[in-house]
Amino acid sequence: MSDRREAPPEKTLERIIGERRDKGTALRGHGHHPYRNDISPRDAIAAVRARYLPSKPEVPNEAITPVDGELLCVAGRAMSKRGFGKTVFVPIRDGSAADIQLYVNIEHLAADDFAQVLPQLDAGDLVCAEGPVFWTKRGELSILVKRLWILTKSLRPLPDKWHGLTDVEQRYRQRYVDLAVSPDVQDVFRLRSRIVRGVRAFLDRRDFLEVETPMMHPIIGGAAARPFATHHNALDMPLFMRIAPELYLKRLVVGGFDRVYEINRNFRNEGLSRKHNPEFTMLEFYRAYATYRDLMDLTEEMVGQLADEVVGSRKLTWDGHELDLAAPWRRLSVLEAVRELGGVAEADAVFADPLLAAECAVTHGVPAADVVLALLEGLPAGSEVSPAVFAETVAAFKNPGERPRVARALVERYPSEEVRLIRAGHLGYQLFEATAEQKLIQPTFLTEYPLAVSPLARRNDARPQFCDRFELFVAGREIANGFSELNDPDDQRARFQAQVQAKAAGAAETMDYDEDYCRALEVGMPPTAGEGIGIDRLVMMLTGQASIRDVILFPLMRPE
RNA sequence: GGGCCCAUAGCUCAGUCGGUAGAGCACCGGCCUUUUAAGCCGAGGGUCGAAGGUUCGAAUCCUUCUGGGCUCACCA
């Protein structure tokens, strides 16, 4: 044995990349650029398939006879390469989402291409082929290749051709590979594109104007969520990535755009889950001289049409649920949902009495801190509770023996009838979330939201503790949120004030006071209804995907 | 952030009681002129996610870390 060291073994992947690189070099040696850009296909594979499908012979044809004399030219990614010595089969796939097989045979292919190009071809390469089509004796439409070019030499091997890419982490991180080998994944994103186009077409037909409003906001508004904070250098100004476009869109309604919509990203600085990605796509639209009831009708029509166009049916399966989108959808008030679905018999009393509501909420598992926060709703400016006192109160409230006394003290602290109702409504809504939300499987419009959880919605004329608002639930998930807009500037100022106080009392997700928005309302906003629809969730529903990451091309991941 | 689970060849996965690494596909060489998960013969390919620890000996047991999945919380 010699003491000469063995060269360190190359890893498999490095070896394969090296071999493929060498094939690129070999192509150059024969005068072919391995990343050439001087050849274009003339025919989309899907069109070729559609055109020649009628020519499929009834009985298999042993002879290799072109269907007609036309030379076709197709290009796409080689999905595999099956060699038989003097015959090689190469199925290719192009952007028309179709495959066709190249039949490469020494007797038909140009001699130089067979000797110089074919040996350098690997699965994964982008190739172009020219020749007539024929049917093989196994009944497969194929290109009888006369000329063959490698347009782009691929250096990395494709994943297992049978299993595809199954590791979900790699599918999201290397979406280009996932898409290249998985037609099903491509289909989801093609459908997503059709859905978004369908939404635009639906709204455009109804004279809505598509607009783009700022995505960097100087103050937080339009929703209850924590924002991403950023900074503008030249202006030395803090900015927030928007959590909702709502307040800008309504400024446009003030300006005379009676029907506007925007489809774009919102950003919310919260946890990730199957239902949440920090950036997500939201449709918001506003229609003057309409009410939330008009928008429920519109939503039913729009989602139903999208289902017809994209799924071809109003019945679909999502996350294990058989759904029926046929109109009309059930309409149910929050109070009714608590009573009927949540099984809370005393629901009517709950929404009128904060003490009963607090007790009921605790019984159904609402966290003590949330209950206490609701019971502090409506305190006059300047009497906010400090974080220390808040923590003490929550601790006392958690003790069943002390709870009635603590709750009574909180309720009596500002015992106007209006505030009592607001607090009861807030607690009633938390009761809804705890008892009924998950049971809303078939499409359901939940209506008449408590005022406390709807700072931008119009107060109901008959029952001022509720708002003219709805949310659409399907499979226990919120899909849409709409309401008649609050256009009374004085009421809006009071609601903003309540938000500011809730933040001071410890609520994490609140809006800032937007004085310019109030000024806009003072100019006068026509009676208007507005709605937001989560496009990602809509796409999930219509494509049957259980995870939001499967409808977002590049979901947020930790760095590799 | 909490709980549960996962990480072995380029890909998909085995790996028993702790005894020093396996298969299929891919890749490389050979045969093959209608295949389609082509077939047959042969060869190569591994820091077993990372770092510590226990042990004569660790892919295997323990600890920590990293990344991911599900779930809870928060939210839409």
Side-chain angles (χ1 to χ4, degrees), chain A residues 40-52 72-76 92-100 133 141 143:
Chain A
S40 301
R42 295 187 301 270
D43 301 289
I45 293 172
V48 172
R49 295 204 80 93
R51 177 173 159 195
Y52 285 97
L72 300 173
C73 185
V74 295
I92 68 170
R93 176 177 305 162
D94 75 1
S96 68
D99 290 13
I100 196 165
V133 299
L141 186 67
I143 304 277

Side-chain angles (χ1 to χ4, degrees), chain A residues 263-281:
Chain A
I263 299 176
N264 221 321
R265 234 66 66 80
N266 288 348
F267 308 86
R268 299 193 182 174
N269 205 340
E270 274 141 16
L272 290 75
S273 80
R274 263 179 2 145
K275 302 173 194 171
H276 302 90
N277 195 62
E279 55 177 303
F280 62 100
T281 301

Side-chain angles (χ1 to χ4, degrees), chain A residues 372-387 390 413-414 419 422-423 426 452 455 491-513:
Chain A
V372 171
L373 214 48
L375 288 175
L376 287 167
E377 193 94 23
L379 290 182
S383 65
E384 295 90 351
V385 171
S386 73
F390 178 75
R413 193 153 166 183
Y414 194 71
V419 169
I422 284 176
R423 292 172 175 177
H426 200 163
D491 194 355
Q492 184 63 72
R493 284 204 154 87
R495 308 272 195 100
F496 278 142
Q497 196 58 48
Q499 290 287 302
V500 170
Q501 283 165 239
K503 177 175 274 185
E509 287 104 16
T510 61
M511 305 179 193
D512 287 337
Y513 196 111

Side-chain angles (χ1 to χ4, degrees), chain A residues 468-491:
Chain A
D468 292 343
R469 175 182 176 190
F470 71 90
E471 288 192 341
L472 171 63
F473 284 85
V474 183
R477 290 172 169 88
E478 185 195 331
I479 301 290
N481 174 22
F483 40 84
S484 300
E485 302 296 338
L486 172 59
N487 63 348
D488 174 343
D490 295 332
D491 194 355

Side-chain angles (χ1 to χ4, degrees), chain A residues 286-355:
Chain A
Y286 292 81
R287 181 169 142 193
Y289 314 109
T291 72
Y292 76 114
R293 295 191 175 277
D294 299 320
L295 294 193
M296 284 193 276
D297 296 339
L298 191 78
T299 304
E300 226 168 48
E301 196 182 345
M302 178 165 72
V303 175
Q305 279 188 21
L306 290 170
D308 291 344
E309 288 169 19
V310 173
V311 187
S313 164
R314 299 210 176 181
K315 291 190 196 306
L316 40 95
T317 304
W318 184 27
D319 209 16
H321 299 293
E322 301 289 327
L323 302 175
D324 187 353
L325 300 184
W329 299 341
R330 189 177 187 189
R331 299 183 184 193
L332 193 69
S333 74
V334 173
L335 193 156
E336 288 166 338
V338 169
R339 184 172 57 217
E340 291 170 29
L341 299 175
V344 180
E346 65 273 45
D348 287 282
V350 162
F351 278 81
D353 177 3
L355 266 184

Side-chain angles (χ1 to χ4, degrees), chain A residues 157-357:
Chain A
L158 294 176
D160 186 290
K161 68 185 169 197
W162 183 242
H163 298 95
L165 194 56
T166 59
D167 182 84
V168 290
E169 181 179 353
Q170 273 196 50
R171 288 190 41 228
Y172 300 145
R173 287 194 193 279
Q174 299 182 40
R175 185 67 93 181
Y176 39 90
V177 176
D178 190 30
L179 290 165
V181 299
S182 307
D184 293 355
V185 176
Q186 280 200 7
D187 287 345
V188 169
F189 290 103
R190 288 180 200 280
L191 286 178
R192 180 177 177 129
S193 175
R194 283 178 56 191
I195 290 166
V196 172
R197 265 184 289 148
V199 168
R200 285 203 165 96
F202 183 92
L203 293 170
D204 291 344
R205 277 199 301 274
R206 285 162 182 74
D207 293 325
F208 282 82
L209 179 73
E210 181 170 12
V211 297
E212 289 156 287
T213 65
M215 297 176 76
M216 296 194 292
H217 291 183
I219 60 175
I220 307 163
R226 278 184 296 196
F228 287 92
T230 183
H231 183 261
H232 188 274
N233 288 340
L235 297 179
D236 189 20
M237 178 173 77
L239 284 169
F240 301 102
M241 305 300 292
R242 78 174 182 197
I243 57 175
E246 171 151 357
L247 299 182
Y248 284 96
L249 290 170
K250 284 190 281 194
R251 284 173 169 94
L252 297 179
V253 179
V254 170
F257 289 144
D258 284 350
R259 298 183 178 199
V260 292
Y261 73 97
E262 178 165 8
I263 299 176
N264 221 321
R265 234 66 66 80
N266 288 348
F267 308 86
R268 299 193 182 174
N269 205 340
E270 274 141 16
L272 290 75
S273 80
R274 263 179 2 145
K275 302 173 194 171
H276 302 90
N277 195 62
E279 55 177 303
F280 62 100
T281 301
M282 181 72 111
L283 160 70
E284 282 201 12
F285 57 95
Y286 292 81
R287 181 169 142 193
Y289 314 109
T291 72
Y292 76 114
R293 295 191 175 277
D294 299 320
L295 294 193
M296 284 193 276
D297 296 339
L298 191 78
T299 304
E300 226 168 48
E301 196 182 345
M302 178 165 72
V303 175
Q305 279 188 21
L306 290 170
D308 291 344
E309 288 169 19
V310 173
V311 187
S313 164
R314 299 210 176 181
K315 291 190 196 306
L316 40 95
T317 304
W318 184 27
D319 209 16
H321 299 293
E322 301 289 327
L323 302 175
D324 187 353
L325 300 184
W329 299 341
R330 189 177 187 189
R331 299 183 184 193
L332 193 69
S333 74
V334 173
L335 193 156
E336 288 166 338
V338 169
R339 184 172 57 217
E340 291 170 29
L341 299 175
V344 180
E346 65 273 45
D348 287 282
V350 162
F351 278 81
D353 177 3
L355 266 184
L356 176 62

